[in-house]
Amino acid sequence: MIILVNLREKPYDLNDEDIAWVTETIAGMSLEEKIGQLFCLIGYSSDEQYLQDIALHYKAGGLMCRPMAAKETVRAVQTLQRHAKIPMLIAANLEKGGSGIVEEGTTIGSVMQVAATGDDEMAYKLGVVCGREGSAVGCNWSFAPIIDIDYNFRNPITNTRTFGSDPDRVRRMGIQYVKGVQENGVAASIKHFPGDGVDERDQHLVESINSLSCEEWDATYGTVYKACIDAGAMTVMVGHILQPAYSRKLNPTLADKDILPASLSYELVTKLLKEQLGFNGLVVTDASTMAGMMISMPRSQAVPQAIAAGCDMFLFSRSLEEDFGYMKKGIEDGVITEQRLNEAVTRILGLKAALQLHKKQAAGSLSPSLEAAMKVLGAEEHRQWAVECADKAVTIVKEEDGVLPIHPDKYKRVLFYDIESQQGYAYSARTGACEQFKELLIREGFEVDTFEAIPGTEGMLTSQSAVLGKYDLIVYVANMVTKSNQTVVRIEWKQPMGANVPTFMTSIPTIFISVENPYHLLDAPRVRTYINAYNSNDHVLQAVVDKLMGRSEFKGTSPVDAFCGMWDTRL
């Protein structure tokens, strides 16, 4: 049997004993057990029966945890690892900190917030916190760092989840995150290959396209991926993203209709990622529940095709029984060859061996302790790093002379405009940040009124005299964040007639603060004082207030073009 993976080389670096465990385990596995290892499923709770079924009936290779209370997460991991014959990979979206898996975890900040500090070490600290707090509750696989490049400000997914639009910064900080998280026993997964952020579509809803030429891709995304691979990144997550230039180059016979998203593409996963870039680790698909994976072909074909294309693990399922059946039939029909199946399982077990899961299982130390975990979650050092990140990141993009700093003696009466997204399904806004910010202003001694639109049409709108002469300062706080299934992140001004549009800024000093999306100047171009904070956690909100009050300097530098390429946004 020829296995196209070298377990002695990076990122596994296994010794003879570890390799023997891999080969002996595979030799003793049934077909059903091998199929089970190909799946990484999902968990939202510690439901005992569901988790037992995953470990015992489906024999899944891994499970991704959505954020829960630490007690729930620890119980879930304990149940899984207690019933699993082969130790399981436990994954989480550890993008912002330990809060990606447990509610009690630290939020260092959004990825773009880290980038705005201009400090590569902050990306390392982010990785360290994710590794420490993740491993404390039994997580051994981080679905991060995101090394997409935010080239298109209209992209509804990348945005503050990236290190920005400079490939060199993305490369440097991506490497540092990989180093920090993997030093703490958690495998990194660089994502979303071959790279999101070029177009403005959401792969949750449709295939997205990386339209760069091969030369452009090599100089940007390719350089970033190669650097993180060379730094030892253990896994790669493949997106439902087309890269037509490379697909055509690697297979000139492809018709346009046959160009597939990377998660289903032999050209992109096997030829480009594994062969050309030399990636020797584990490849996992992005969520298979996304529409972007199911547009090119029927799901019955897509499930085995993902593995046949070179992906080693299949993330989630729409119907457990049905998807397992599709995978098994794909093997029986030869879509997945025996060699490809064994290679995939070898990479999966190789990762588990590299993480020492087999030895922890044998020693009885695989499952976490809640008591021990609580000593790590939200540790004081981690909290201090979060404060540091907030202080260094808040960015003043535009400043009108003489407006800052603010103080109740200077601007006693404040008119407050809140613009806030509703809570979404994933990657969503933290609701209530606007109200929290208002309370911080009140504590500082300001008299703050929240703007209320008066219903009506022409001739019955809010009068100018109701604002002019009544308020000394206007403060906007926008808490709108990119989120799954929301394809546009733009301000929807209130009725009637855009009642809350900034129209008083030539008469009353006006400050616009975005605590999430950095591109709101597109919709409020002539605001003269504009601040990006990139995240809405408590530390960030306090840092913004401190800087407005003049107690702290603005230190952040924008990782993207906050002016959105428009001339009027600079006025």
Side-chain angles (χ1 to χ4, degrees):
M1 179 177 65
I2 300 174
I3 299 297
L4 304 176
V5 56
N6 189 338
L7 296 178
R8 297 186 187 279
E9 299 294 328
K10 194 185 321 182
Y12 306 105
D13 298 314
L14 300 187
N15 58 31
D16 290 344
E17 181 184 357
D18 294 332
I19 292 173
W21 176 80
V22 172
T23 55
E24 290 169 8
T25 301
I26 292 176
M29 292 172 71
S30 66
L31 176 61
E32 285 71 23
E33 287 174 323
K34 290 181 179 179
I35 292 173
Q37 287 297 302
L38 301 179
F39 283 85
C40 181
L41 302 175
I42 192 165
Y44 289 92
S45 73
S46 59
D47 180 81
E48 185 91 11
Q49 189 58 56
Y50 172 73
L51 297 173
Q52 282 190 37
D53 283 348
I54 285 175
L56 292 173
H57 178 66
Y58 293 103
K59 302 174 176 61
L63 178 134
M64 176 191 169
C65 287
R66 291 295 189 191
M68 299 181 280
K71 182 178 180 180
E72 289 284 293
T73 302
V74 167
R75 185 185 298 132
V77 174
Q78 289 173 343
T79 300
L80 288 166
Q81 300 293 25
R82 182 171 65 250
H83 290 96
K85 177 181 176 182
I86 298 172
M88 292 181 64
L89 294 169
I90 306 296
N93 275 337
L94 298 177
E95 296 177 10
K96 299 179 181 180
S99 55
I101 188 167
V102 287
E103 295 165 0
E104 297 90 337
T106 305
T107 296
I108 293 295
S110 72
V111 181
M112 189 170 287
Q113 180 189 337
V114 170
T117 68
D119 183 0
D120 292 357
E121 187 180 358
M122 189 58 67
Y124 172 74
K125 290 176 178 176
L126 173 62
V128 169
V129 171
C130 290
R132 286 178 182 172
E133 297 193 356
S135 60
V137 293
C139 176
N140 48 48
W141 193 6
S142 172
F143 286 165
I146 293 175
I147 55 173
D148 295 324
I149 306 173
D150 200 43
Y151 280 134
N152 191 330
F153 72 86
R154 292 187 175 90
N155 188 292
I157 291 296
T158 51
N159 204 279
T160 55
R161 295 179 70 205
T162 73
F163 289 115
S165 58
D166 175 14
D168 188 57
R169 185 195 296 109
V170 175
R171 176 189 60 81
R172 297 192 319 268
M173 290 192 164
I175 289 172
Q176 288 302 312
Y177 180 100
V178 169
K179 180 181 177 183
V181 77
Q182 292 191 171
E183 283 179 355
N184 287 277
V186 177
S189 187
I190 49 180
K191 65 183 186 183
H192 306 83
F193 186 85
D196 206 349
V198 176
D199 75 354
E200 58 188 86
R201 290 186 272 192
D202 175 2
Q203 58 177 309
H204 295 81
L205 305 174
V206 66
E207 300 164 337
S208 58
I209 298 177
N210 183 316
S211 58
L212 300 184
S213 68
C214 294
E215 294 74 21
E216 290 170 332
W217 189 90
D218 288 341
T220 56
Y221 292 91
T223 297
V224 174
Y225 270 94
K226 180 61 174 170
C228 289
I229 289 168
D230 290 346
M234 302 183 85
T235 78
V236 172
M237 179 177 283
V238 174
H240 315 309
I241 304 168
L242 285 77
Q243 216 300 319
Y246 253 116
S247 291
R248 293 187 183 105
K249 178 179 179 179
L250 295 170
N251 185 356
T253 66
L254 279 179
D256 286 355
K257 66 179 179 61
D258 296 323
I259 296 174
L260 296 171
S263 51
L264 302 174
S265 171
Y266 178 83
E267 292 77 22
L268 297 181
V269 177
T270 297
K271 302 296 289 184
L272 180 56
L273 176 59
K274 289 186 174 180
E275 295 182 8
Q276 184 167 312
L277 294 182
F279 182 61
N280 186 49
L282 182 148
V283 179
V284 61
T285 71
D286 203 343
S288 67
T289 48
M290 294 182 185
M293 193 179 193
M294 298 184 292
I295 288 174
S296 297
M297 62 182 68
R299 188 167 183 85
S300 58
Q301 296 176 26
V303 173
Q305 175 60 29
I307 305 301
C311 297
D312 304 302
M313 290 194 83
F314 191 82
L315 187 59
F316 307 160
S317 68
R318 287 181 67 86
S319 166
L320 279 171
E321 202 68 40
E322 189 174 66
D323 282 351
F324 271 68
Y326 289 153
M327 193 71 77
K328 184 175 183 180
K329 190 171 190 309
I331 293 170
E332 292 170 348
D333 292 346
V335 176
I336 302 172
T337 65
E338 181 180 5
Q339 178 177 311
R340 174 80 271 273
L341 174 62
N342 286 320
E343 180 202 346
V345 175
T346 297
R347 288 176 185 258
I348 295 164
L349 297 187
L351 176 63
K352 294 180 178 185
L355 294 169
Q356 300 294 291
L357 302 188
H358 60 311
K359 292 182 178 178
K360 291 178 180 179
Q361 184 185 54
S365 60
L366 190 59
S367 296
S369 155
L370 179 60
E371 182 181 3
M374 295 307 296
K375 295 177 181 178
V376 178
L377 300 174
E380 178 59 24
E381 183 178 36
H382 301 172
R383 191 190 72 81
Q384 288 297 332
W385 287 351
V387 171
E388 177 189 3
C389 185
D391 177 55
K392 289 182 175 181
V394 177
T395 305
I396 188 158
V397 178
K398 294 169 68 176
E399 181 180 3
E400 182 178 7
D401 290 342
V403 172
L404 299 178
I406 65 172
H407 191 274
D409 293 342
K410 184 179 180 182
Y411 305 117
K412 183 66 173 178
R413 300 163 303 174
V414 177
L415 180 58
F416 184 76
Y417 288 82
D418 55 331
I419 303 169
E420 191 161 49
S421 298
Q422 296 301 307
Q423 186 70 27
Y425 177 70
Y427 315 120
S428 186
R430 172 201 181 197
T431 56
C434 291
E435 185 64 25
Q436 184 176 342
F437 192 87
K438 175 184 173 181
E439 290 301 316
L440 290 175
L441 292 178
I442 292 172
R443 288 180 203 170
E444 294 289 348
F446 296 95
E447 295 176 359
V448 185
D449 291 338
T450 299
F451 173 81
E452 295 290 343
I454 298 176
T457 58
E458 286 86 344
M460 297 184 291
L461 304 179
T462 302
S463 66
Q464 297 292 288
S465 60
V467 177
L468 298 178
K470 184 176 181 181
Y471 296 102
D472 307 309
L473 179 70
I474 292 175
V475 175
Y476 281 82
V477 175
N479 180 30
M480 298 187 68
V481 65
T482 55
K483 57 188 178 185
S484 301
N485 294 1
Q486 178 180 310
T487 55
V488 178
V489 186
R490 297 279 297 276
I491 297 172
E492 185 175 339
W493 301 107
K494 289 184 178 180
Q495 295 293 349
M497 304 296 291
N500 58 338
V501 168
T503 55
F504 294 103
M505 55 197 168
T506 56
S507 304
I508 302 174
T510 300
I511 300 171
F512 194 110
I513 303 156
S514 173
V515 296
E516 287 286 353
N517 181 14
Y519 298 121
H520 285 313
L521 277 174
L522 183 70
D523 290 317
R526 289 185 184 245
V527 167
R528 297 172 180 177
T529 301
Y530 179 88
I531 295 164
N532 275 329
Y534 314 103
N535 195 246
S536 58
N537 69 55
D538 292 350
H539 303 305
V540 170
L541 298 182
Q542 185 61 57
V544 172
V545 171
D546 288 342
K547 294 174 192 304
L548 290 175
M549 299 289 292
R551 295 191 290 260
S552 173
E553 296 179 359
F554 286 93
K555 302 170 186 175
T557 55
S558 184
V560 294
D561 175 18
F563 300 102
C564 307
M566 312 291 285
W567 65 271
D568 62 331
T569 56
R570 296 180 179 273
L571 297 176

